[in-house]
Coordinates of all heavy atoms in Angstrom, one line a residue:
M30 N 21.5 -23.3 6.3 CA 21.5 -22.7 5.0 C 21.2 -23.7 3.9 O 21.7 -24.8 3.9 CB 22.8 -22.0 4.7 CG 22.8 -21.2 3.4 SD 24.2 -20.1 3.3 CE 25.2 -21.1 2.2
S31 N 20.3 -23.4 3.0 CA 19.9 -24.3 1.9 C 20.7 -24.0 0.7 O 20.8 -22.8 0.3 CB 18.4 -24.2 1.6 OG 18.1 -24.9 0.5
A32 N 21.3 -25.0 0.1 CA 22.1 -24.8 -1.1 C 21.3 -24.9 -2.4 O 21.7 -24.6 -3.5 CB 23.3 -25.8 -1.2
R33 N 20.0 -25.4 -2.2 CA 19.2 -25.7 -3.4 C 18.3 -24.4 -3.8 O 17.5 -24.0 -3.0 CB 18.2 -26.8 -3.1 CG 17.4 -27.2 -4.3 CD 16.9 -28.6 -4.1 NE 18.0 -29.5 -4.2 CZ 17.8 -30.8 -4.2 NH1 16.7 -31.3 -4.1 NH2 18.9 -31.6 -4.3
P34 N 18.6 -23.9 -4.9 CA 17.8 -22.7 -5.4 C 16.3 -23.1 -5.6 O 15.9 -24.2 -5.9 CB 18.4 -22.3 -6.7 CG 19.7 -23.0 -6.7 CD 19.6 -24.2 -5.9
E35 N 15.5 -22.0 -5.3 CA 14.0 -22.1 -5.6 C 13.7 -21.2 -6.8 O 14.1 -20.1 -6.9 CB 13.2 -21.6 -4.3 CG 13.4 -22.5 -3.1 CD 12.7 -21.9 -1.9 OE1 12.2 -20.7 -2.0 OE2 12.7 -22.6 -0.9
K36 N 12.8 -21.8 -7.6 CA 12.4 -21.0 -8.8 C 11.1 -20.3 -8.5 O 10.2 -20.9 -8.0 CB 12.2 -22.0 -10.0 CG 12.0 -21.2 -11.3 CD 11.8 -22.2 -12.5 CE 13.2 -22.6 -12.9 NZ 13.2 -23.3 -14.2
H37 N 11.1 -19.0 -8.8 CA 9.9 -18.2 -8.7 C 9.7 -17.4 -10.0 O 10.6 -17.0 -10.6 CB 10.0 -17.2 -7.5 CG 10.1 -17.9 -6.2 ND1 9.0 -18.1 -5.4 CD2 11.1 -18.3 -5.5 CE1 9.3 -18.7 -4.3 NE2 10.6 -18.8 -4.3
S38 N 8.4 -17.2 -10.3 CA 8.0 -16.4 -11.4 C 7.9 -14.9 -11.1 O 7.4 -14.6 -10.0 CB 6.7 -16.9 -12.0 OG 6.9 -18.2 -12.5
L39 N 8.4 -14.1 -11.9 CA 8.3 -12.6 -11.7 C 7.8 -12.0 -13.0 O 7.9 -12.6 -14.1 CB 9.7 -12.0 -11.5 CG 10.5 -12.4 -10.2 CD1 11.9 -11.9 -10.2 CD2 9.7 -11.9 -9.0
T40 N 7.2 -10.9 -12.9 CA 6.7 -10.2 -14.1 C 7.5 -8.9 -14.2 O 7.5 -8.0 -13.3 CB 5.2 -9.8 -13.9 OG1 4.5 -11.0 -13.8 CG2 4.7 -9.1 -15.2
L41 N 8.2 -8.8 -15.3 CA 9.1 -7.6 -15.5 C 8.6 -6.9 -16.8 O 8.6 -7.5 -17.9 CB 10.5 -8.0 -15.7 CG 11.2 -8.8 -14.6 CD1 12.6 -9.2 -15.0 CD2 11.1 -8.1 -13.3
H42 N 8.1 -5.7 -16.6 CA 7.6 -4.9 -17.8 C 6.6 -5.7 -18.6 O 6.6 -5.7 -19.8 CB 8.8 -4.5 -18.6 CG 9.9 -3.9 -17.9 ND1 9.8 -2.6 -17.2 CD2 11.2 -4.3 -17.6 CE1 10.9 -2.4 -16.6 NE2 11.8 -3.4 -16.8
G43 N 5.7 -6.4 -17.9 CA 4.6 -7.1 -18.5 C 5.0 -8.5 -19.1 O 4.1 -9.2 -19.6
H44 N 6.2 -8.9 -18.9 CA 6.6 -10.2 -19.3 C 7.0 -11.1 -18.1 O 7.7 -10.7 -17.2 CB 7.9 -10.1 -20.2 CG 7.6 -9.4 -21.5 ND1 7.6 -8.0 -21.6 CD2 7.3 -9.8 -22.7 CE1 7.3 -7.6 -22.8 NE2 7.1 -8.7 -23.5
R45 N 6.5 -12.4 -18.2 CA 6.8 -13.3 -17.1 C 8.2 -13.9 -17.4 O 8.6 -14.2 -18.5 CB 5.8 -14.4 -17.1 CG 4.4 -14.0 -16.9 CD 4.1 -13.6 -15.5 NE 4.0 -14.8 -14.6 CZ 4.0 -14.8 -13.3 NH1 3.9 -13.6 -12.7 NH2 3.9 -15.9 -12.6
T46 N 8.9 -14.1 -16.3 CA 10.2 -14.8 -16.3 C 10.4 -15.5 -15.0 O 9.7 -15.2 -14.0 CB 11.4 -13.8 -16.5 OG1 12.6 -14.5 -16.7 CG2 11.6 -12.8 -15.3
S47 N 11.2 -16.5 -15.0 CA 11.5 -17.3 -13.8 C 12.9 -17.1 -13.4 O 13.8 -16.9 -14.2 CB 11.4 -18.8 -14.1 OG 10.0 -19.1 -14.4
V48 N 13.1 -17.0 -12.1 CA 14.4 -16.7 -11.5 C 14.6 -17.8 -10.4 O 13.7 -18.0 -9.6 CB 14.5 -15.3 -10.9 CG1 15.8 -15.1 -10.2 CG2 14.2 -14.3 -12.0
S49 N 15.8 -18.4 -10.4 CA 16.1 -19.3 -9.3 C 17.2 -18.7 -8.4 O 18.2 -18.3 -8.8 CB 16.7 -20.6 -10.0 OG 15.8 -21.3 -10.7
L50 N 16.8 -18.6 -7.1 CA 17.7 -18.1 -6.1 C 17.5 -19.0 -4.9 O 16.5 -19.6 -4.6 CB 17.2 -16.7 -5.7 CG 17.4 -15.6 -6.7 CD1 16.7 -14.3 -6.1 CD2 18.8 -15.3 -7.0
E51 N 18.5 -19.0 -4.0 CA 18.5 -19.7 -2.8 C 17.5 -19.0 -1.9 O 17.3 -17.8 -2.0 CB 19.9 -19.7 -2.1 CG 20.9 -20.5 -2.9 CD 21.5 -19.8 -4.1 OE1 21.2 -18.6 -4.3 OE2 22.1 -20.5 -4.9
P52 N 16.8 -19.8 -1.0 CA 15.8 -19.2 -0.2 C 16.2 -18.0 0.6 O 15.5 -17.0 0.8 CB 15.3 -20.4 0.8 CG 15.7 -21.6 0.1 CD 16.9 -21.2 -0.8
E53 N 17.5 -18.0 1.1 CA 18.0 -16.9 1.9 C 18.0 -15.6 1.0 O 17.8 -14.5 1.5 CB 19.4 -17.2 2.4 CG 19.4 -18.4 3.4 CD 19.4 -19.8 2.8 OE1 19.4 -19.9 1.5 OE2 19.4 -20.7 3.6
F54 N 18.3 -15.7 -0.3 CA 18.3 -14.6 -1.1 C 16.9 -14.1 -1.4 O 16.7 -12.9 -1.5 CB 19.1 -14.8 -2.5 CG 20.6 -14.7 -2.3 CD1 21.4 -15.8 -2.2 CD2 21.2 -13.5 -2.3 CE1 22.7 -15.7 -2.1 CE2 22.6 -13.4 -2.1 CZ 23.3 -14.5 -2.0
W55 N 16.0 -15.0 -1.6 CA 14.6 -14.6 -1.8 C 14.1 -13.9 -0.6 O 13.4 -12.8 -0.7 CB 13.7 -15.8 -2.0 CG 13.7 -16.3 -3.5 CD1 14.1 -17.6 -3.9 CD2 13.3 -15.6 -4.6 NE1 14.0 -17.6 -5.2 CE2 13.5 -16.4 -5.7 CE3 12.9 -14.3 -4.9 CZ2 13.3 -16.0 -7.0 CZ3 12.7 -13.9 -6.2 CH2 12.8 -14.8 -7.2
D56 N 14.4 -14.4 0.6 CA 14.0 -13.7 1.9 C 14.5 -12.3 2.0 O 13.8 -11.4 2.3 CB 14.4 -14.5 3.1 CG 13.6 -15.8 3.2 OD1 12.5 -16.0 2.6 OD2 14.1 -16.7 4.0
A57 N 15.8 -12.2 1.7 CA 16.5 -10.9 1.8 C 15.9 -9.9 0.7 O 15.7 -8.7 1.0 CB 18.0 -11.0 1.6
F58 N 15.7 -10.4 -0.5 CA 15.2 -9.6 -1.5 C 13.8 -9.1 -1.2 O 13.5 -7.9 -1.4 CB 15.2 -10.4 -2.9 CG 15.1 -9.6 -4.1 CD1 15.9 -8.4 -4.3 CD2 14.1 -9.9 -5.1 CE1 15.8 -7.7 -5.5 CE2 14.0 -9.2 -6.2 CZ 14.8 -8.1 -6.4
R59 N 13.0 -9.9 -0.6 CA 11.6 -9.5 -0.2 C 11.7 -8.5 0.9 O 10.9 -7.5 1.0 CB 10.8 -10.8 0.3 CG 10.3 -11.6 -0.8 CD 9.4 -12.7 -0.2 NE 9.2 -13.7 -1.2 CZ 9.8 -14.9 -1.4 NH1 10.7 -15.2 -0.5 NH2 9.5 -15.7 -2.3
R60 N 12.6 -8.7 1.9 CA 12.8 -7.7 3.0 C 13.2 -6.3 2.4 O 12.7 -5.3 2.9 CB 13.9 -8.2 4.0 CG 13.3 -9.3 4.8 CD 14.3 -9.8 5.8 NE 15.3 -8.9 6.3 CZ 16.5 -9.2 6.7 NH1 16.9 -10.5 6.8 NH2 17.4 -8.3 7.2
I61 N 14.1 -6.3 1.4 CA 14.5 -5.0 0.8 C 13.3 -4.4 0.1 O 13.1 -3.2 0.3 CB 15.6 -5.3 -0.2 CG1 16.9 -5.7 0.6 CG2 15.9 -4.0 -0.9 CD1 18.0 -6.3 -0.4
A62 N 12.5 -5.1 -0.6 CA 11.4 -4.6 -1.3 C 10.4 -4.0 -0.3 O 9.9 -2.9 -0.5 CB 10.7 -5.7 -2.2
K63 N 10.1 -4.8 0.8 CA 9.2 -4.3 1.8 C 9.7 -3.0 2.5 O 8.9 -2.1 2.7 CB 9.0 -5.4 2.9 CG 8.0 -5.0 3.9 CD 7.8 -6.1 4.9 CE 6.8 -5.7 6.0 NZ 6.5 -6.8 6.9
A64 N 11.0 -3.0 2.8 CA 11.6 -1.8 3.4 C 11.5 -0.6 2.5 O 11.4 0.6 3.0 CB 13.0 -2.1 3.8
R65 N 11.6 -0.8 1.2 CA 11.5 0.3 0.2 C 10.0 0.6 -0.1 O 9.8 1.5 -0.9 CB 12.3 0.0 -1.0 CG 13.8 -0.1 -0.7 CD 14.6 -0.2 -2.0 NE 14.3 0.9 -2.9 CZ 14.7 0.8 -4.2 NH1 15.4 -0.2 -4.7 NH2 14.4 1.8 -5.0
G66 N 9.1 -0.2 0.4 CA 7.7 0.0 0.1 C 7.3 -0.2 -1.3 O 6.5 0.5 -1.9
M67 N 7.9 -1.2 -1.9 CA 7.6 -1.5 -3.3 C 7.3 -3.0 -3.5 O 7.8 -3.8 -2.8 CB 8.7 -1.0 -4.2 CG 10.0 -1.6 -4.0 SD 11.5 -0.8 -4.8 CE 10.9 -0.5 -6.4
P68 N 6.5 -3.3 -4.5 CA 6.3 -4.7 -4.8 C 7.6 -5.4 -5.3 O 8.5 -4.8 -5.9 CB 5.3 -4.7 -6.0 CG 4.7 -3.4 -6.0 CD 5.8 -2.4 -5.4
L69 N 7.7 -6.7 -5.0 CA 8.9 -7.5 -5.4 C 9.1 -7.4 -6.9 O 10.3 -7.2 -7.4 CB 8.7 -8.9 -5.0 CG 9.9 -9.8 -5.2 CD1 11.0 -9.4 -4.2 CD2 9.6 -11.3 -4.9
N70 N 8.1 -7.4 -7.7 CA 8.3 -7.3 -9.2 C 8.9 -6.0 -9.6 O 9.7 -5.9 -10.5 CB 6.9 -7.5 -9.9 CG 6.5 -9.0 -9.9 OD1 7.3 -9.9 -9.9 ND2 5.2 -9.2 -9.9
A71 N 8.5 -4.9 -8.9 CA 9.0 -3.6 -9.2 C 10.5 -3.5 -8.9 O 11.3 -3.0 -9.7 CB 8.3 -2.5 -8.5
L72 N 10.9 -4.1 -7.8 CA 12.3 -4.1 -7.4 C 13.1 -5.0 -8.4 O 14.2 -4.6 -8.8 CB 12.5 -4.6 -6.0 CG 13.9 -4.6 -5.5 CD1 14.6 -3.2 -5.6 CD2 14.0 -5.1 -4.0
A73 N 12.5 -6.1 -8.8 CA 13.2 -7.0 -9.7 C 13.4 -6.2 -11.1 O 14.4 -6.4 -11.7 CB 12.4 -8.3 -9.9
A74 N 12.4 -5.5 -11.5 CA 12.5 -4.7 -12.7 C 13.6 -3.7 -12.6 O 14.3 -3.4 -13.6 CB 11.1 -4.1 -13.1
E75 N 13.7 -3.0 -11.5 CA 14.7 -2.1 -11.2 C 16.1 -2.7 -11.4 O 17.0 -2.2 -12.0 CB 14.6 -1.4 -9.9 CG 15.5 -0.3 -9.5 CD 15.2 0.3 -8.2 OE1 14.1 0.9 -8.0 OE2 16.0 0.1 -7.3
V76 N 16.3 -3.8 -10.7 CA 17.6 -4.6 -10.8 C 17.8 -5.0 -12.3 O 18.9 -4.9 -12.8 CB 17.6 -5.8 -9.9 CG1 18.8 -6.7 -10.1 CG2 17.5 -5.3 -8.4
D77 N 16.8 -5.4 -12.9 CA 16.9 -5.9 -14.3 C 17.4 -4.7 -15.2 O 18.2 -4.9 -16.1 CB 15.6 -6.4 -14.8 CG 15.6 -7.0 -16.2 OD1 16.5 -7.8 -16.5 OD2 14.8 -6.6 -17.1
E78 N 16.8 -3.6 -15.0 CA 17.2 -2.4 -15.8 C 18.7 -2.0 -15.6 O 19.3 -1.5 -16.5 CB 16.3 -1.2 -15.6 CG 14.9 -1.4 -16.1 CD 13.9 -0.4 -15.6 OE1 14.4 0.6 -15.0 OE2 12.7 -0.5 -15.8
A79 N 19.1 -2.2 -14.4 CA 20.5 -1.7 -14.0 C 21.6 -2.7 -14.3 O 22.8 -2.4 -14.4 CB 20.5 -1.4 -12.5
R80 N 21.2 -4.0 -14.6 CA 22.2 -5.0 -14.8 C 22.8 -4.9 -16.2 O 22.2 -4.4 -17.1 CB 21.6 -6.4 -14.6 CG 20.7 -6.8 -15.7 CD 20.2 -8.2 -15.4 NE 19.1 -8.6 -16.3 CZ 19.1 -9.5 -17.2 NH1 20.2 -10.2 -17.4 NH2 18.1 -9.8 -18.0
G81 N 24.0 -5.3 -16.3 CA 24.7 -5.3 -17.6 C 24.2 -6.5 -18.5 O 23.6 -7.4 -18.0
V82 N 24.5 -6.4 -19.8 CA 24.0 -7.5 -20.7 C 24.7 -8.8 -20.4 O 24.2 -9.8 -20.8 CB 24.3 -7.0 -22.2 CG1 23.4 -5.9 -22.5 CG2 25.7 -6.7 -22.4
D83 N 25.9 -8.8 -19.8 CA 26.6 -10.0 -19.5 C 26.1 -10.7 -18.2 O 26.5 -11.8 -18.0 CB 28.1 -9.8 -19.4 CG 28.7 -9.4 -20.8 OD1 28.1 -9.8 -21.8 OD2 29.7 -8.6 -20.8
A84 N 25.3 -10.0 -17.4 CA 24.9 -10.6 -16.1 C 23.5 -11.2 -16.2 O 22.6 -10.5 -16.8 CB 24.9 -9.5 -15.0
G85 N 23.3 -12.3 -15.7 CA 22.0 -12.9 -15.6 C 21.2 -12.2 -14.5 O 21.8 -11.6 -13.6
L86 N 19.9 -12.3 -14.6 CA 19.0 -11.7 -13.6 C 19.3 -12.2 -12.2 O 19.3 -11.5 -11.2 CB 17.5 -11.7 -13.9 CG 16.6 -11.1 -13.0 CD1 16.9 -9.6 -12.8 CD2 15.1 -11.2 -13.5
A87 N 19.4 -13.6 -12.0 CA 19.6 -14.2 -10.7 C 20.9 -13.6 -10.1 O 20.9 -13.3 -8.9 CB 19.6 -15.7 -10.8
S88 N 21.9 -13.6 -10.9 CA 23.2 -13.1 -10.4 C 23.1 -11.6 -10.0 O 23.7 -11.2 -9.0 CB 24.3 -13.2 -11.5 OG 24.6 -14.6 -11.7
A89 N 22.4 -10.8 -10.8 CA 22.2 -9.4 -10.6 C 21.5 -9.2 -9.2 O 21.8 -8.3 -8.5 CB 21.5 -8.7 -11.7
I90 N 20.5 -10.0 -9.0 CA 19.7 -9.9 -7.7 C 20.6 -10.3 -6.5 O 20.6 -9.6 -5.5 CB 18.5 -10.8 -7.8 CG1 17.4 -10.2 -8.7 CG2 17.9 -10.9 -6.4 CD1 16.2 -11.1 -9.0
R91 N 21.4 -11.3 -6.7 CA 22.3 -11.7 -5.6 C 23.3 -10.6 -5.3 O 23.5 -10.2 -4.1 CB 23.1 -13.0 -5.9 CG 22.3 -14.2 -5.9 CD 23.2 -15.4 -6.1 NE 22.4 -16.6 -6.3 CZ 22.1 -17.1 -7.5 NH1 22.4 -16.5 -8.6 NH2 21.4 -18.3 -7.6
V92 N 23.9 -10.0 -6.3 CA 24.8 -8.9 -6.1 C 24.1 -7.7 -5.5 O 24.6 -7.0 -4.6 CB 25.5 -8.5 -7.4 CG1 26.3 -7.2 -7.3 CG2 26.4 -9.6 -7.9
Y93 N 22.9 -7.4 -5.9 CA 22.1 -6.3 -5.4 C 21.9 -6.5 -3.9 O 22.0 -5.6 -3.1 CB 20.7 -6.2 -6.1 CG 19.9 -5.1 -5.5 CD1 20.0 -3.8 -6.0 CD2 18.9 -5.4 -4.6 CE1 19.2 -2.8 -5.4 CE2 18.1 -4.4 -4.0 CZ 18.2 -3.1 -4.5 OH 17.4 -2.1 -3.9
V94 N 21.4 -7.7 -3.5 CA 21.2 -8.0 -2.1 C 22.5 -7.9 -1.3 O 22.5 -7.2 -0.2 CB 20.6 -9.5 -1.9 CG1 20.6 -9.9 -0.5 CG2 19.2 -9.5 -2.5
L95 N 23.6 -8.4 -1.8 CA 24.8 -8.3 -1.1 C 25.3 -6.9 -0.9 O 25.6 -6.4 0.2 CB 25.9 -9.1 -1.9 CG 27.3 -9.0 -1.3 CD1 27.4 -9.7 0.1 CD2 28.3 -9.7 -2.2
T96 N 25.2 -6.1 -2.0 CA 25.6 -4.7 -1.9 C 24.7 -3.9 -1.0 O 25.2 -3.0 -0.2 CB 25.5 -4.1 -3.4 OG1 26.3 -4.8 -4.2 CG2 25.9 -2.6 -3.4
H97 N 23.4 -4.2 -1.0 CA 22.5 -3.5 0.0 C 22.9 -3.7 1.4 O 23.0 -2.8 2.2 CB 21.1 -4.1 -0.3 CG 20.1 -3.6 0.7 ND1 19.4 -2.3 0.6 CD2 19.6 -4.1 1.9 CE1 18.6 -2.2 1.6 NE2 18.7 -3.2 2.4
F98 N 23.1 -5.0 1.8 CA 23.5 -5.3 3.2 C 24.9 -4.8 3.5 O 25.2 -4.5 4.7 CB 23.2 -6.7 3.5 CG 21.7 -7.0 3.6 CD1 21.0 -7.7 2.6 CD2 21.0 -6.5 4.7 CE1 19.7 -7.9 2.7 CE2 19.6 -6.7 4.8 CZ 19.0 -7.4 3.8
Q99 N 25.8 -4.8 2.6 CA 27.1 -4.3 2.8 C 27.1 -2.8 3.1 O 27.7 -2.3 4.0 CB 28.1 -4.5 1.7 CG 28.6 -6.0 1.6 CD 29.4 -6.2 0.3 OE1 29.2 -5.6 -0.7 NE2 30.3 -7.1 0.4
A100 N 26.2 -2.1 2.4 CA 26.0 -0.6 2.6 C 25.5 -0.4 4.0 O 25.9 0.6 4.7 CB 25.1 0.0 1.5
Q101 N 24.5 -1.2 4.4 CA 24.0 -1.1 5.8 C 25.0 -1.3 6.8 O 25.1 -0.6 7.8 CB 22.8 -2.1 6.0 CG 21.5 -1.7 5.5 CD 20.4 -2.6 6.0 OE1 20.6 -3.8 6.3 NE2 19.2 -2.1 6.0
L102 N 25.9 -2.3 6.6 CA 27.0 -2.5 7.6 C 27.9 -1.4 7.7 O 28.4 -1.0 8.8 CB 27.7 -3.8 7.2 CG 27.0 -5.1 7.5 CD1 27.8 -6.3 6.9 CD2 26.7 -5.4 8.9
R103 N 28.2 -0.8 6.6 CA 29.2 0.4 6.6 C 28.5 1.6 7.3 O 29.3 2.4 7.8 CB 29.5 0.8 5.1 CG 30.6 -0.1 4.5 CD 31.2 0.4 3.3 NE 30.2 0.5 2.2 CZ 29.9 -0.5 1.3 NH1 30.6 -1.6 1.4 NH2 29.0 -0.3 0.4
S104 N 27.2 1.7 7.2 CA 26.6 2.9 7.8 C 26.3 2.7 9.3 O 26.0 3.7 10.0 CB 25.2 3.2 7.1 OG 24.3 2.2 7.3
D105 N 26.5 1.5 9.8 CA 26.3 1.3 11.2 C 27.4 1.7 12.1 O 28.5 1.8 11.7 CB 26.0 -0.2 11.5 CG 24.6 -0.6 11.0 OD1 23.8 0.3 10.8 OD2 24.3 -1.8 11.0

């Protein structure tokens, strides 16, 4: 496991932004987007719209990934 976050650029609603996440979170986030049949930017925009004003986008993505896989575990 890598503790060093990687910075990637995303486009949300026509605006570029950078998000730093650990590689494992990027991989999981990409897998979720692929499974949902949507571009990574679209999923990031969805997470961005749902997050509260006090949460940063990187934190919101981490929580989204965690929640997604916890739900999968509960359904198995």
Side-chain angles (χ1 to χ4, degrees):
M30 187 166 103
S31 172
R33 185 162 289 186
E35 296 176 352
K36 186 178 281 193
H37 292 270
S38 294
L39 297 170
T40 301
L41 307 177
H42 312 292
H44 295 83
R45 299 286 287 170
T46 189
S47 293
V48 178
S49 294
L50 295 171
E51 295 74 13
E53 294 83 2
F54 279 102
W55 279 121
D56 292 342
F58 197 50
R59 285 186 191 100
R60 285 180 29 207
I61 295 167
K63 183 177 180 181
R65 292 188 57 193
M67 63 194 311
L69 189 66
N70 286 329
L72 182 55
E75 187 178 292
V76 171
D77 184 49
E78 291 171 8
R80 71 182 169 113
V82 294
D83 293 331
L86 182 56
S88 294
I90 290 172
R91 286 184 190 96
V92 170
Y93 177 85
V94 168
L95 178 63
T96 302
H97 173 85
F98 286 106
Q99 284 177 329
Q101 276 191 339
L102 288 173
R103 282 194 293 273
S104 68
D105 287 346

